Amino acid sequence: MISHVFPKDFYWGAATASFQIEGATKEDGRGESIWDRFCSTPGKILTGETGDPATDSYHRYAEDIALLQKMNLNAYRFSIAWPRVVPDGDGSVCQKGLDYYDRVVDGLLATGITPFVTLYHWDLPQALQDKGGWASRATLDAYVRFSDVVVHRLGDRVKYWMTHNEPWCVSILSNQIGEHAPGLHDRKLALQVAHHLLVSHGMVVPVIRQGCAEARVGIVLNMVPSYPATDSLADQAQARQDHARFNLWFLDPIAGRGYPQDAWVGYGSDVPQILPGDMETIAAPIDYLGINYYNRQVSHNPAGGEGSRLLNKRSETHLTDRDWEVYPQGLYDLLTWLGRGYLFENIILTENGASYHDAVQPDGSIHDALRLDYLHQHLAMLLRTIESGVPVRGYFCWSLMDNFEWAFGTSSRFGLAYTNFQTQQRTLKGSGIWYGKVARANALID
Ligand code: FCB
């Protein structure tokens, strides 16, 4: 039976990340992160901006919580800045940094909002990068210690933890493609980083459980389903390879299946070094899998050689202002594929959203009909997915408000709320007002 109601106790949330919102990068003892360094390198950020002030949430977190409240959301996903807590990565702990997250957590709980905490959303202390970053095993130990400190401080109040956000971005996008910090171009190194991220995830799972009796632990993967651009065998093979490298490479080790063999062979001598016990560590049982879904990939390999990526050519589809194809069917395909083939008891959609150039009306309102439509279409698809038996427990929109969108600076707006970066005033957009009604009704409304 088709209804428009979501399951009872569904989590309705919005997501952010420390570097994208906090600002105050030099305040209260915070150390330098790789993103501070990256931003100060000319040409890396489209707008030339830095993480200061972003949305100044280090000082304005109460306004953020008020926005969540205004939208009736019962969950908030945010991340902890490692350099705020352990400024040089593996040395002394900065109490003032921890105090900030105390305030955020207490503020959320006081308004009945469940905190979902990501331990690593990309802001590695620069001091650790200087010693090799995620390519060095020492960083894994430092990450365990940092996580232990955070969990001991917040674990009496925070139950939902995520070890990593999007290891594909942290490894491949940042160390092979070079688009994100630290901006390297080395595939072998990137694959070693990917492996270490997964191992560090597995190392931290028991640490969280130890420090937090009721912990619910997960990891967040960005998954992009691949579709062949044409029916040619070359395109089909390309789609399989893209799927293996982008999705299975991260998912399968976590699910205890090791690295996908075809991809392993295809990477040749670039494959990572694996130490005895690593694969068992990575496969530590988790309580939920976090999925970030934005779009699909259309795989094309006209010459039968190295493949290239194309946007959809089969039918007319809409693109967001980042040129990301709007393809809600991909969400259904991805999640039902996961539900059929893997045994995750709980899945949470930890990010989904769209970037559009918003115009502020003379009366101050923002009519972001395209974003609203994007969210509507994806939530309708999510409902279909749930009705077909996939255990999706929550949905987090990216993002609570427009913020510092990595290499795009503040030029790419994903928010449910509009941020005026001159005044830092936040105003709910039409999509945010609508999303709030959906959350209140726990049902898809028009
Ligand atoms: C994801 C990131 C998030 C945000 C969105 C648009 O890859 O996790 O921080 O930048 O994309």
Side-chain angles (χ1 to χ4, degrees), residues 20 121-122 165-166 292 294 351 398 405-406 414:
Q20 296 180 268
H121 199 130
W122 308 356
N165 179 68
E166 304 191 343
N292 293 352
Y294 289 92
E351 286 181 30
W398 185 273
E405 177 49 29
W406 308 114
F414 275 92

Side-chain angles (χ1 to χ4, degrees), residues 41 47 141 154 203 269 339 351 363 429 434:
T41 312
T47 53
D141 296 327
L154 304 178
M203 288 164 76
S269 59
E351 286 181 30
D363 69 353
K429 302 175 189 174
W434 172 82

Side-chain angles (χ1 to χ4, degrees), residues 202-236:
M203 288 164 76
V204 159
V205 170
V207 170
I208 299 173
R209 295 201 196 289
Q210 246 161 32
C212 172
E214 286 184 80
R216 310 284 289 151
V217 190
I219 183 170
V220 172
L221 302 182
N222 50 321
M223 298 195 77
V224 178
S226 310
Y227 301 75
T230 70
D231 293 337
S232 77
L233 287 180
D235 282 357
Q236 291 183 40

Side-chain angles (χ1 to χ4, degrees), residues 225-230 295-300 308-319 323-329:
S226 310
Y227 301 75
T230 70
N295 55 9
R296 69 165 166 177
Q297 176 183 307
V298 177
S299 305
H300 192 39
S308 62
R309 290 162 177 202
L310 277 189
L311 287 169
N312 175 35
K313 289 266 189 253
R314 285 182 187 247
S315 55
E316 278 298 307
T317 40
H318 177 77
L319 303 182
D323 285 346
W324 293 1
E325 185 191 7
V326 179
Y327 194 68
Q329 178 69 37

Side-chain angles (χ1 to χ4, degrees), residues 11-18 21-22 55 57 60-61 63-65 67-69 71 73-79 100-101 104-105 107-109 111-118 158 160 162 350 395-401 403 426:
Y11 281 115
W12 289 103
T16 62
S18 46
I21 65 164
E22 288 178 5
T55 60
S57 290
R60 294 171 189 263
Y61 64 92
E63 295 173 36
D64 302 344
I65 296 173
L67 278 178
L68 293 161
Q69 249 187 315
M71 287 188 285
L73 303 188
N74 58 8
Y76 179 45
R77 175 175 176 238
F78 63 99
S79 78
Y100 167 65
Y101 297 109
V104 174
V105 167
L108 290 168
L109 294 176
T111 49
I113 298 167
T114 303
F116 281 66
V117 171
T118 314
V158 171
Y160 285 91
M162 286 147 284
T350 34
Y395 174 91
F396 288 77
C397 182
W398 185 273
S399 177
L400 177 57
M401 64 277 183
N403 54 45
R426 291 107 154 101

